Coordinates of all heavy atoms in Angstrom, one line a residue:
M8 N 0.8 -1.2 0.0 CA 0.0 -0.1 0.0 C 0.9 1.3 0.0 O 0.6 2.1 -0.8 CB -0.9 0.0 1.2 CG -1.9 1.1 1.4 SD -3.0 1.4 0.0 CE -3.7 -0.1 -0.2
V9 N 1.8 1.3 0.9 CA 2.7 2.4 1.0 C 3.5 2.7 -0.2 O 3.8 3.8 -0.7 CB 3.6 2.4 2.3 CG1 4.6 3.5 2.4 CG2 2.6 2.4 3.6
E10 N 4.0 1.5 -0.9 CA 4.7 1.6 -2.1 C 3.9 2.2 -3.2 O 4.3 3.0 -4.0 CB 5.2 0.1 -2.4 CG 6.1 0.2 -3.7 CD 6.6 -1.3 -4.0 OE1 7.3 -1.8 -3.1 OE2 6.2 -1.7 -5.1
Q11 N 2.6 1.9 -3.2 CA 1.7 2.4 -4.3 C 1.5 4.0 -4.0 O 1.4 4.7 -5.0 CB 0.4 1.6 -4.2 CG 0.5 0.2 -4.6 CD -0.9 -0.5 -4.3 OE1 -1.9 0.1 -4.1 NE2 -0.8 -1.9 -4.3
F12 N 1.4 4.3 -2.8 CA 1.4 5.8 -2.4 C 2.6 6.5 -3.1 O 2.3 7.5 -3.7 CB 1.3 5.9 -0.9 CG 1.4 7.3 -0.4 CD1 0.2 7.9 0.0 CD2 2.5 8.0 -0.1 CE1 0.2 9.2 0.6 CE2 2.6 9.3 0.4 CZ 1.4 9.8 0.7
V13 N 3.7 6.0 -2.8 CA 5.0 6.7 -3.4 C 4.9 6.8 -4.9 O 5.2 7.8 -5.6 CB 6.2 6.0 -2.9 CG1 7.3 6.6 -3.6 CG2 6.3 6.1 -1.4
T14 N 4.4 5.6 -5.5 CA 4.3 5.6 -7.0 C 3.4 6.6 -7.6 O 3.7 7.2 -8.5 CB 4.0 4.1 -7.6 OG1 5.1 3.3 -7.0 CG2 4.0 4.1 -9.0
A15 N 2.2 6.6 -6.9 CA 1.2 7.5 -7.3 C 1.6 9.0 -7.2 O 1.4 9.7 -8.0 CB -0.1 7.3 -6.5
L16 N 2.3 9.3 -6.0 CA 2.8 10.7 -5.8 C 3.9 11.0 -6.8 O 3.7 12.0 -7.5 CB 3.4 10.8 -4.3 CG 4.0 12.0 -4.0 CD1 3.8 12.1 -2.4 CD2 5.5 12.2 -4.3
N17 N 4.8 10.1 -7.0 CA 5.9 10.3 -8.1 C 5.4 10.5 -9.5 O 5.9 11.2 -10.3 CB 7.0 9.3 -8.0 CG 7.8 9.5 -6.8 OD1 7.9 10.6 -6.3 ND2 8.5 8.5 -6.5
D18 N 4.2 9.8 -9.8 CA 3.6 9.9 -11.2 C 2.6 11.0 -11.2 O 2.1 11.2 -12.3 CB 2.9 8.6 -11.5 CG 3.8 7.3 -11.6 OD1 5.0 7.6 -11.8 OD2 3.3 6.2 -11.7
H19 N 2.4 11.7 -10.2 CA 1.4 12.8 -10.1 C 0.1 12.3 -10.5 O -0.6 13.1 -11.2 CB 1.9 14.0 -10.9 CG 3.3 14.5 -10.4 ND1 4.5 14.4 -11.1 CD2 3.5 15.1 -9.3 CE1 5.4 14.9 -10.4 NE2 5.0 15.4 -9.3
D20 N -0.4 11.2 -10.2 CA -1.6 10.6 -10.5 C -2.6 10.8 -9.3 O -2.6 10.1 -8.4 CB -1.4 9.1 -10.8 CG -2.7 8.4 -11.3 OD1 -3.8 8.9 -10.9 OD2 -2.5 7.4 -12.0
R21 N -3.3 11.9 -9.4 CA -4.2 12.3 -8.2 C -5.3 11.2 -8.0 O -5.6 11.0 -6.8 CB -4.9 13.6 -8.6 CG -4.1 14.8 -8.5 CD -4.9 16.1 -8.9 NE -4.0 17.2 -9.3 CZ -3.9 18.2 -8.6 NH1 -4.6 18.3 -7.5 NH2 -3.2 19.1 -8.9
D22 N -5.9 10.7 -9.1 CA -6.9 9.7 -8.9 C -6.3 8.5 -8.2 O -7.0 7.9 -7.2 CB -7.5 9.3 -10.2 CG -8.3 10.3 -10.9 OD1 -8.9 11.3 -10.2 OD2 -8.5 10.4 -12.1
R23 N -5.3 8.0 -8.6 CA -4.6 6.8 -8.0 C -4.3 7.1 -6.5 O -4.5 6.4 -5.6 CB -3.6 6.3 -8.8 CG -3.0 4.9 -8.4 CD -2.1 4.3 -9.2 NE -1.3 5.2 -10.1 CZ 0.0 5.0 -10.4 NH1 0.7 4.0 -9.9 NH2 0.6 5.8 -11.1
F24 N -3.7 8.2 -6.4 CA -3.2 8.7 -5.0 C -4.4 8.7 -4.0 O -4.4 8.1 -3.1 CB -2.6 10.1 -5.1 CG -2.1 10.7 -3.8 CD1 -0.9 10.5 -3.4 CD2 -2.8 11.5 -3.0 CE1 -0.3 10.9 -2.1 CE2 -2.4 12.0 -1.7 CZ -1.2 11.7 -1.4
Y25 N -5.5 9.4 -4.4 CA -6.6 9.6 -3.5 C -7.4 8.3 -3.3 O -8.0 7.9 -2.3 CB -7.5 10.7 -4.0 CG -7.0 12.0 -3.7 CD1 -6.6 12.9 -4.6 CD2 -6.8 12.5 -2.3 CE1 -6.0 14.2 -4.3 CE2 -6.3 13.7 -2.0 CZ -5.9 14.5 -3.0 OH -5.4 15.8 -2.7
G26 N -7.3 7.3 -4.3 CA -7.9 6.1 -4.2 C -7.2 5.2 -3.3 O -7.9 4.1 -2.8
L27 N -6.0 5.5 -2.9 CA -5.3 4.7 -1.8 C -5.7 5.1 -0.4 O -5.3 4.4 0.6 CB -3.8 4.8 -2.1 CG -3.2 4.2 -3.3 CD1 -1.8 4.8 -3.6 CD2 -3.4 2.8 -3.4
L28 N -6.4 6.2 -0.3 CA -6.8 6.8 1.0 C -8.1 6.5 1.4 O -9.0 6.3 0.6 CB -6.5 8.3 1.0 CG -5.2 8.8 0.5 CD1 -5.2 10.3 0.5 CD2 -4.0 8.3 1.4
T29 N -8.3 6.3 2.8 CA -9.7 6.1 3.2 C -10.5 7.5 3.0 O -9.8 8.6 2.8 CB -9.8 5.8 4.7 OG1 -9.2 7.0 5.5 CG2 -9.1 4.5 4.9
D30 N -11.8 7.5 3.0 CA -12.5 8.8 2.8 C -12.3 9.8 3.9 O -12.4 11.0 3.6 CB -14.1 8.4 2.8 CG -14.5 7.7 1.4 OD1 -13.6 7.7 0.5 OD2 -15.4 7.0 1.4
D31 N -12.0 9.3 5.1 CA -11.7 10.2 6.2 C -10.2 10.3 6.6 O -9.9 10.6 7.8 CB -12.4 9.6 7.5 CG -12.1 8.3 7.9 OD1 -11.4 7.5 7.1 OD2 -12.4 7.9 9.1
A32 N -9.3 10.1 5.6 CA -7.9 10.1 5.9 C -7.5 11.5 6.4 O -8.1 12.4 6.1 CB -7.1 9.8 4.6
T33 N -6.4 11.4 7.2 CA -5.9 12.7 7.8 C -4.4 12.7 7.6 O -3.8 11.6 7.3 CB -6.2 12.8 9.3 OG1 -5.7 11.7 10.0 CG2 -7.7 12.8 9.6
M34 N -3.7 13.9 7.9 CA -2.3 13.8 7.8 C -1.7 15.0 8.7 O -2.6 15.9 9.0 CB -1.8 14.0 6.3 CG -2.3 15.2 5.6 SD -1.2 16.7 5.8 CE 0.4 16.0 5.3
S35 N -0.4 14.9 9.0 CA 0.2 16.0 9.6 C 1.5 16.1 9.0 O 2.1 15.4 8.4 CB 0.4 15.7 11.1 OG 1.3 14.7 11.4
D36 N 2.0 17.5 9.1 CA 3.4 17.9 8.6 C 4.1 18.5 9.7 O 3.6 19.5 10.2 CB 3.1 18.7 7.4 CG 4.5 19.2 6.7 OD1 5.5 18.6 7.1 OD2 4.4 20.1 5.8
D37 N 5.2 18.0 10.1 CA 6.0 18.5 11.1 C 5.2 18.7 12.4 O 5.4 19.7 13.1 CB 6.7 19.8 10.8 CG 7.9 19.7 9.8 OD1 8.6 18.6 10.0 OD2 8.2 20.7 8.9
G38 N 4.3 17.7 12.6 CA 3.6 17.7 13.8 C 2.4 18.5 13.9 O 1.6 18.6 14.9
V39 N 2.1 19.3 12.8 CA 0.9 20.2 12.7 C -0.1 19.5 11.8 O 0.2 19.1 10.6 CB 1.2 21.5 12.1 CG1 0.1 22.3 12.0 CG2 2.3 22.2 12.9
E40 N -1.4 19.3 12.3 CA -2.5 18.8 11.5 C -2.7 19.6 10.3 O -2.8 20.9 10.5 CB -3.8 18.7 12.3 CG -3.7 17.6 13.4 CD -3.6 16.2 12.9 OE1 -4.2 15.7 12.0 OE2 -2.5 15.5 13.4
R41 N -3.0 19.1 9.1 CA -3.1 19.8 8.0 C -4.3 19.3 7.3 O -4.8 18.2 7.4 CB -1.9 19.6 6.9 CG -0.6 20.0 7.5 CD -0.5 21.5 7.6 NE 0.8 21.9 8.1 CZ 1.3 23.1 8.4 NH1 0.5 24.1 8.2 NH2 2.5 23.3 8.8
N42 N -4.9 20.1 6.4 CA -5.9 19.7 5.5 C -5.4 18.9 4.4 O -4.5 19.5 3.6 CB -6.8 20.9 4.9 CG -7.8 20.5 3.9 OD1 -7.5 20.1 2.9 ND2 -9.0 20.7 4.3
L43 N -5.6 17.6 4.3 CA -5.1 16.8 3.4 C -5.1 17.2 1.9 O -4.1 17.2 1.2 CB -5.5 15.3 3.6 CG -4.8 14.2 2.9 CD1 -5.0 12.9 3.6 CD2 -5.3 13.8 1.4
A44 N -6.3 17.5 1.5 CA -6.4 17.9 0.1 C -5.6 19.3 -0.3 O -4.9 19.3 -1.3 CB -7.9 18.2 -0.3
Q45 N -5.7 20.2 0.7 CA -4.9 21.5 0.5 C -3.4 21.2 0.6 O -2.6 21.7 -0.4 CB -5.3 22.5 1.5 CG -6.7 23.1 1.3 CD -7.1 24.0 2.5 OE1 -6.5 24.1 3.4 NE2 -8.2 24.6 2.2
W46 N -3.0 20.4 1.4 CA -1.6 20.1 1.6 C -1.0 19.4 0.3 O 0.0 19.7 -0.2 CB -1.3 19.3 2.9 CG 0.1 19.1 3.1 CD1 0.9 19.9 3.9 CD2 1.0 18.0 2.8 NE1 2.3 19.4 3.9 CE2 2.3 18.3 3.2 CE3 0.8 17.0 1.9 CZ2 3.4 17.5 2.9 CZ3 1.9 16.0 1.8 CH2 3.0 16.3 2.1
T47 N -1.7 18.4 -0.1 CA -1.2 17.6 -1.2 C -1.3 18.4 -2.6 O -0.4 18.2 -3.3 CB -2.0 16.2 -1.4 OG1 -3.4 16.4 -1.5 CG2 -1.7 15.2 -0.3
D48 N -2.3 19.3 -2.7 CA -2.2 20.1 -3.8 C -1.1 21.1 -3.8 O -0.3 21.2 -4.8 CB -3.5 21.0 -3.9 CG -4.7 20.3 -4.5 OD1 -4.5 19.1 -5.0 OD2 -5.8 20.8 -4.2
S49 N -0.8 21.7 -2.7 CA 0.4 22.6 -2.5 C 1.7 22.0 -2.6 O 2.6 22.4 -3.3 CB 0.2 23.4 -1.2 OG 1.2 24.2 -1.0
E50 N 1.9 20.9 -1.8 CA 3.2 20.3 -1.5 C 3.6 19.2 -2.6 O 4.7 18.8 -2.6 CB 3.3 19.8 -0.1 CG 3.1 20.7 0.9 CD 4.1 21.8 1.0 OE1 5.2 21.6 0.5 OE2 3.8 23.0 1.4
V51 N 2.5 18.6 -3.2 CA 2.8 17.6 -4.1 C 2.4 17.9 -5.6 O 3.3 18.1 -6.5 CB 2.0 16.3 -3.7 CG1 2.2 15.1 -4.7 CG2 2.4 15.9 -2.3
F52 N 1.2 18.0 -5.9 CA 0.7 18.1 -7.2 C 1.0 19.4 -7.9 O 1.4 19.5 -9.0 CB -0.8 17.8 -7.3 CG -1.2 16.4 -6.9 CD1 -1.8 16.1 -5.8 CD2 -0.6 15.2 -7.5 CE1 -2.1 14.8 -5.2 CE2 -0.7 14.0 -7.1 CZ -1.6 13.8 -6.0
D53 N 0.8 20.6 -7.1 CA 1.0 21.9 -7.9 C 2.5 22.2 -7.8 O 2.8 23.3 -8.4 CB 0.2 22.9 -7.2 CG -1.3 22.8 -7.3 OD1 -1.7 22.0 -8.3 OD2 -2.1 23.4 -6.5
S54 N 3.3 21.5 -7.1 CA 4.7 21.9 -7.0 C 5.7 20.8 -7.4 O 6.9 20.7 -7.1 CB 5.1 22.3 -5.5 OG 4.7 21.2 -4.7
N55 N 5.2 19.8 -8.2 CA 5.9 18.7 -8.9 C 6.7 17.9 -7.7 O 7.9 17.7 -7.9 CB 6.9 19.3 -9.9 CG 7.5 18.2 -10.7 OD1 6.8 17.3 -10.9 ND2 8.6 18.4 -11.2
G56 N 6.0 17.5 -6.7 CA 6.7 16.8 -5.5 C 7.0 15.4 -6.1 O 6.5 14.8 -6.9
R57 N 8.3 15.1 -5.6 CA 8.8 13.7 -5.9 C 9.6 13.3 -4.7 O 10.1 14.0 -3.9 CB 9.7 13.7 -7.1 CG 9.0 14.2 -8.4 CD 9.9 13.9 -9.6 NE 10.4 12.5 -9.8 CZ 9.7 11.5 -10.1 NH1 8.4 11.6 -10.4 NH2 10.3 10.4 -10.3
M58 N 9.6 11.9 -4.4 CA 10.5 11.4 -3.4 C 11.2 10.2 -3.9 O 10.8 9.3 -4.8 CB 9.6 11.1 -2.2 CG 8.7 9.8 -2.4 SD 7.9 9.3 -0.8 CE 6.8 10.7 -0.5
S59 N 12.3 10.0 -3.1 CA 13.2 8.8 -3.4 C 13.4 8.2 -1.9 O 14.0 9.0 -1.1 CB 14.5 9.3 -4.0 OG 15.4 8.2 -4.0
I60 N 13.0 6.9 -1.7 CA 13.1 6.4 -0.4 C 14.5 5.9 -0.1 O 15.1 5.3 -1.0 CB 12.1 5.1 -0.3 CG1 10.7 5.6 -0.4 CG2 12.3 4.4 1.0 CD1 9.7 4.5 -0.5
D61 N 14.9 6.3 1.1 CA 16.4 5.9 1.6 C 16.3 4.7 2.4 O 17.1 3.8 2.2 CB 17.0 7.0 2.3 CG 17.4 8.2 1.5 OD1 17.6 8.0 0.2 OD2 17.5 9.3 2.0
S62 N 15.3 4.5 3.4 CA 15.3 3.4 4.2 C 13.9 3.2 4.6 O 13.1 4.1 4.8 CB 16.2 3.6 5.4 OG 15.8 4.8 6.1
V63 N 13.5 1.9 4.8 CA 12.1 1.5 5.3 C 12.2 0.9 6.6 O 13.1 0.1 7.0 CB 11.6 0.5 4.3 CG1 10.2 0.1 4.7 CG2 11.6 1.1 2.8
N64 N 11.2 1.2 7.4 CA 11.1 0.7 8.9 C 9.7 0.4 9.2 O 8.9 0.5 8.3 CB 11.5 2.0 9.9 CG 12.9 2.5 9.5 OD1 13.9 1.8 9.5 ND2 12.9 3.8 9.3
E65 N 9.6 -0.3 10.3 CA 8.3 -0.7 10.9 C 7.4 -1.4 10.0 O 6.3 -1.2 9.7 CB 7.5 0.6 11.3 CG 8.2 1.4 12.4 CD 7.4 2.6 12.9 OE1 6.2 2.6 12.8 OE2 8.1 3.6 13.3
G66 N 8.1 -2.5 9.3 CA 7.3 -3.4 8.5 C 6.8 -2.8 7.2 O 5.9 -3.2 6.6
G67 N 7.5 -1.6 6.8 CA 7.0 -1.0 5.5 C 6.0 0.1 5.8 O 5.6 0.7 4.8
T68 N 5.7 0.5 7.0 CA 4.7 1.5 7.2 C 5.4 2.9 7.6 O 4.7 3.8 8.0 CB 3.7 1.2 8.2 OG1 4.4 0.9 9.5 CG2 2.8 0.1 7.8
A69 N 6.8 2.9 7.5 CA 7.5 4.2 7.8 C 8.7 4.1 7.0 O 9.3 3.1 6.7 CB 7.8 4.2 9.3
F70 N 9.2 5.2 6.6 CA 10.4 5.3 5.8 C 11.0 6.9 5.9 O 10.4 7.8 6.3 CB 10.3 4.9 4.3 CG 9.2 5.7 3.5 CD1 9.5 7.0 3.0 CD2 8.0 5.1 3.3 CE1 8.6 7.7 2.2 CE2 7.0 5.9 2.6 CZ 7.3 7.1 2.0
V71 N 12.3 6.8 5.5 CA 12.9 8.1 5.3 C 13.2 8.3 3.8 O 13.5 7.3 3.1 CB 14.3 8.1 6.0 CG1 15.1 9.4 5.8 CG2 14.1 7.9 7.6
A72 N 12.9 9.5 3.4 CA 13.0 9.7 1.9 C 13.6 11.2 1.7 O 13.6 12.0 2.5 CB 11.7 9.6 1.3
D73 N 14.2 11.2 0.5 CA 14.6 12.5 0.0 C 13.4 13.1 -0.8 O 13.0 12.4 -1.7 CB 15.8 12.5 -1.0 CG 17.1 12.2 -0.1 OD1 17.3 12.7 1.1 OD2 17.9 11.5 -0.6
Y74 N 12.8 14.2 -0.3 CA 11.6 14.8 -0.9 C 12.0 16.1 -1.6 O 12.7 17.0 -1.1 CB 10.5 15.0 0.1 CG 9.3 15.3 -0.6 CD1 8.4 14.3 -1.1 CD2 8.8 16.7 -0.7 CE1 7.2 14.7 -1.8 CE2 7.6 17.0 -1.2 CZ 6.9 16.0 -1.9 OH 5.6 16.3 -2.5
T75 N 11.5 16.2 -2.8 CA 11.8 17.5 -3.6 C 10.6 18.0 -4.2 O 9.7 17.3 -4.7 CB 12.9 17.1 -4.7 OG1 14.0 16.5 -4.2 CG2 13.2 18.3 -5.6
N76 N 10.4 19.3 -4.1 CA 9.3 20.0 -4.9 C 9.8 21.3 -5.3 O 10.9 21.9 -4.8 CB 8.1 20.0 -4.2 CG 7.9 20.8 -2.9 OD1 8.8 21.8 -2.7 ND2 7.1 20.6 -2.0
S77 N 9.2 22.0 -6.1 CA 9.6 23.4 -6.6 C 9.3 24.4 -5.6 O 9.8 25.6 -5.8 CB 8.9 23.7 -7.9 OG 7.4 23.8 -7.7
R78 N 8.6 24.1 -4.6 CA 8.3 25.2 -3.5 C 9.4 25.3 -2.5 O 9.9 26.3 -2.2 CB 7.0 24.9 -2.8 CG 6.5 25.7 -1.8 CD 5.2 25.5 -1.3 NE 4.8 26.5 -0.3 CZ 3.8 26.5 0.5 NH1 3.1 25.4 0.5 NH2 3.5 27.4 1.4
W79 N 10.0 24.1 -2.0 CA 11.0 24.1 -1.1 C 12.3 23.5 -1.4 O 13.2 23.6 -0.7 CB 10.5 23.2 0.2 CG 9.1 23.7 0.7 CD1 7.9 23.2 0.6 CD2 8.9 24.9 1.5 NE1 7.0 23.9 1.3 CE2 7.5 24.9 1.9 CE3 9.7 25.9 2.1 CZ2 6.9 25.9 2.6 CZ3 9.2 26.9 2.8 CH2 7.8 27.0 3.1
G80 N 12.4 23.0 -2.5 CA 13.7 22.4 -3.0 C 13.6 20.9 -2.3 O 12.7 20.2 -2.2
S81 N 14.9 20.5 -2.1 CA 15.1 19.1 -1.6 C 15.3 19.0 -0.1 O 15.9 20.0 0.4 CB 16.2 18.4 -2.1 OG 16.2 18.4 -3.5
M82 N 14.7 18.1 0.5 CA 15.0 17.8 2.1 C 14.7 16.4 2.4 O 14.1 15.6 1.8 CB 13.8 18.7 2.8 CG 12.5 18.3 2.5 SD 11.2 19.4 3.3 CE 11.1 20.5 1.8
R83 N 15.3 16.1 3.5 CA 15.3 14.7 4.0 C 14.0 14.7 4.9 O 13.8 15.5 5.7 CB 16.5 14.4 4.7 CG 16.7 13.0 5.2 CD 18.1 12.8 5.4 NE 18.4 11.4 6.0 CZ 18.4 10.3 5.2 NH1 18.3 10.5 3.9 NH2 18.7 9.1 5.6
T84 N 13.1 13.7 4.6 CA 12.0 13.6 5.4 C 11.6 12.2 5.9 O 12.0 11.3 5.4 CB 10.7 14.0 4.4 OG1 10.8 13.1 3.4 CG2 10.8 15.5 4.1
N85 N 10.8 12.2 7.1 CA 10.3 11.0 7.7 C 8.9 10.9 7.2 O 8.1 11.9 7.2 CB 10.4 11.2 9.2 CG 11.7 11.0 9.7 OD1 12.4 10.1 9.3 ND2 12.1 11.9 10.6
W86 N 8.4 9.7 7.1 CA 7.0 9.3 6.7 C 6.5 8.3 7.6 O 7.2 7.3 7.7 CB 6.9 9.1 5.2 CG 7.2 10.2 4.2 CD1 8.4 10.6 4.0 CD2 6.2 11.0 3.5 NE1 8.4 11.7 3.1 CE2 7.1 12.0 2.9 CE3 4.9 11.0 3.5 CZ2 6.5 12.9 2.0 CZ3 4.3 12.1 2.6 CH2 5.1 13.0 1.9
R87 N 5.3 8.3 8.0 CA 4.7 7.2 8.8 C 3.3 7.0 8.4 O 2.5 8.1 8.2 CB 4.8 7.5 10.3 CG 4.1 6.5 11.1 CD 4.5 6.5 12.5 NE 6.0 6.1 12.5 CZ 6.9 6.4 13.3 NH1 6.6 7.3 14.3 NH2 8.1 6.0 13.2
F88 N 2.9 5.8 8.2 CA 1.5 5.6 7.6 C 0.8 4.7 8.7 O 1.3 3.7 9.2 CB 1.6 4.9 6.3 CG 2.2 5.7 5.3 CD1 3.7 5.7 5.2 CD2 1.5 6.4 4.4 CE1 4.3 6.6 4.2 CE2 2.1 7.2 3.4 CZ 3.5 7.3 3.4
M89 N -0.6 4.9 8.7 CA -1.6 4.0 9.4 C -2.5 3.4 8.3 O -2.9 4.2 7.4 CB -2.3 4.7 10.5 CG -1.5 5.1 11.6 SD -1.4 6.8 11.9 CE 0.1 7.1 12.7
V90 N -2.7 2.2 8.3 CA -3.5 1.5 7.2 C -4.6 0.9 7.9 O -4.5 0.2 9.0 CB -2.6 0.4 6.5 CG1 -3.5 -0.2 5.4 CG2 -1.4 1.2 5.8
R91 N -5.8 1.0 7.3 CA -7.1 0.5 7.8 C -7.9 -0.1 6.7 O -8.1 0.7 5.7 CB -7.9 1.6 8.5 CG -9.2 1.1 9.3 CD -10.0 2.2 9.9 NE -10.6 3.0 9.0 CZ -10.5 4.4 9.0 NH1 -9.8 5.0 9.9 NH2 -11.2 5.2 8.0
D92 N -8.3 -1.3 6.8 CA -9.1 -1.9 5.8 C -8.5 -1.8 4.4 O -9.2 -1.6 3.4 CB -10.4 -1.3 5.7 CG -11.2 -1.5 7.0 OD1 -11.0 -2.5 7.7 OD2 -12.1 -0.7 7.4
G93 N -7.1 -2.0 4.3 CA -6.5 -2.0 3.0 C -6.2 -0.6 2.4 O -5.7 -0.5 1.3
K94 N -6.5 0.5 3.1 CA -6.2 1.8 2.6 C -5.5 2.6 3.7 O -5.5 2.3 5.0 CB -7.5 2.4 2.3 CG -8.2 1.9 1.1 CD -9.3 2.8 0.5 CE -9.8 2.3 -0.8 NZ -10.6 3.3 -1.4
I95 N -4.8 3.7 3.3 CA -4.1 4.6 4.2 C -5.1 5.5 4.8 O -5.8 6.2 4.2 CB -3.1 5.3 3.4 CG1 -2.0 4.5 2.9 CG2 -2.4 6.5 4.3 CD1 -1.1 5.1 1.9
S96 N -5.1 5.5 6.2 CA -6.1 6.3 7.0 C -5.4 7.6 7.5 O -6.1 8.4 7.9 CB -6.7 5.5 8.1 OG -5.8 5.0 9.1
R97 N -4.1 7.5 7.6 CA -3.4 8.6 8.0 C -2.0 8.5 7.7 O -1.3 7.5 7.5 CB -3.4 8.7 9.6 CG -2.6 9.9 10.2 CD -2.8 10.0 11.6 NE -2.0 11.0 12.2 CZ -2.4 12.3 12.2 NH1 -3.5 12.7 11.5 NH2 -1.6 13.3 12.7
F98 N -1.3 9.7 7.3 CA 0.1 9.7 7.2 C 0.7 10.9 7.8 O 0.0 11.9 8.0 CB 0.5 9.6 5.7 CG 0.1 10.7 4.8 CD1 1.1 11.9 4.6 CD2 -1.0 10.7 4.0 CE1 0.7 12.9 3.6 CE2 -1.3 11.8 3.1 CZ -0.5 12.9 3.0
E99 N 1.8 10.8 8.3 CA 2.5 11.9 8.9 C 3.9 12.0 8.3 O 4.5 11.1 8.0 CB 2.7 11.5 10.5 CG 1.4 11.3 11.2 CD 1.6 10.8 12.6 OE1 2.7 10.3 12.9 OE2 0.5 10.7 13.3
T100 N 4.2 13.4 8.1 CA 5.5 13.6 7.4 C 6.2 14.7 8.1 O 5.5 15.4 8.9 CB 5.4 13.9 5.9 OG1 6.7 14.0 5.3 CG2 4.6 15.1 5.6
G101 N 7.5 14.9 8.0 CA 8.2 16.0 8.6 C 9.7 15.8 8.3 O 10.2 14.8 7.7
Q102 N 10.3 16.9 8.5 CA 11.8 16.9 8.2 C 12.4 15.9 9.1 O 12.2 15.8 10.2 CB 12.4 18.3 8.3 CG 11.9 19.2 7.3 CD 12.7 20.4 7.2 OE1 13.9 20.5 7.3 NE2 12.0 21.6 7.0
A103 N 13.5 15.3 8.5 CA 14.2 14.1 9.3 C 15.4 14.9 9.9 O 15.9 15.8 9.5 CB 14.7 13.0 8.3

C-alpha cells in the first residue's frame, strides 16, 4: 500500500493517489495537522513533488526519503503511515 502511495505521488496521479486513502484520511506535517487535500495540492501536485526512499522501517509503514518539490527544494523527510481496511487512513511527514 505504502509503495503504491509513493508511486502515485511520483507519477502525479491524483486519482490513484486519493484512491489509496480512506474517505476520512488525515495527515500532519512537522507535527501540525493539515487539510489533506490542500496540503497535497500545494506540496505535491502543484509543486511537482517527488520522493526517493532511503530506508524503510516498521514493516514498511514508515520510511525516510529525500523529498523534492519546486516550492521548498530538496529535504530529507520522515514518513509514517496508518493503514485501515487496506487503505491509508493517516500519514505523517516531517523533516528528518
Side-chain angles (χ1 to χ4, degrees):
M8 180 60 51
V9 173
E10 183 178 298
Q11 293 172 16
F12 175 96
V13 173
T14 300
L16 183 147
N17 284 341
D18 289 347
H19 300 109
D20 187 333
R21 288 177 197 251
D22 291 336
R23 191 166 28 137
F24 180 88
Y25 286 113
L27 297 168
L28 306 176
T29 62
D30 291 339
D31 61 346
T33 60
M34 62 89 51
S35 69
D36 182 8
D37 283 329
V39 178
E40 291 298 312
R41 304 286 184 183
N42 176 291
L43 192 145
Q45 289 175 350
W46 187 90
T47 54
D48 281 348
S49 173
E50 302 296 331
V51 178
F52 299 116
D53 295 342
S54 60
N55 196 32
R57 297 192 52 78
M58 71 171 68
S59 173
I60 297 175
D61 287 337
S62 61
V63 178
N64 304 303
E65 298 180 31
T68 60
F70 58 80
V71 175
D73 289 322
Y74 189 80
T75 303
N76 68 23
S77 60
R78 184 174 182 192
W79 302 107
S81 295
M82 65 191 86
R83 193 161 174 80
T84 55
N85 287 310
W86 295 77
R87 174 162 293 148
F88 297 84
M89 287 116 207
V90 177
R91 181 179 76 228
D92 300 327
K94 290 193 170 197
I95 296 167
S96 60
R97 179 173 178 79
F98 67 91
E99 299 169 348
T100 187
Q102 291 192 40

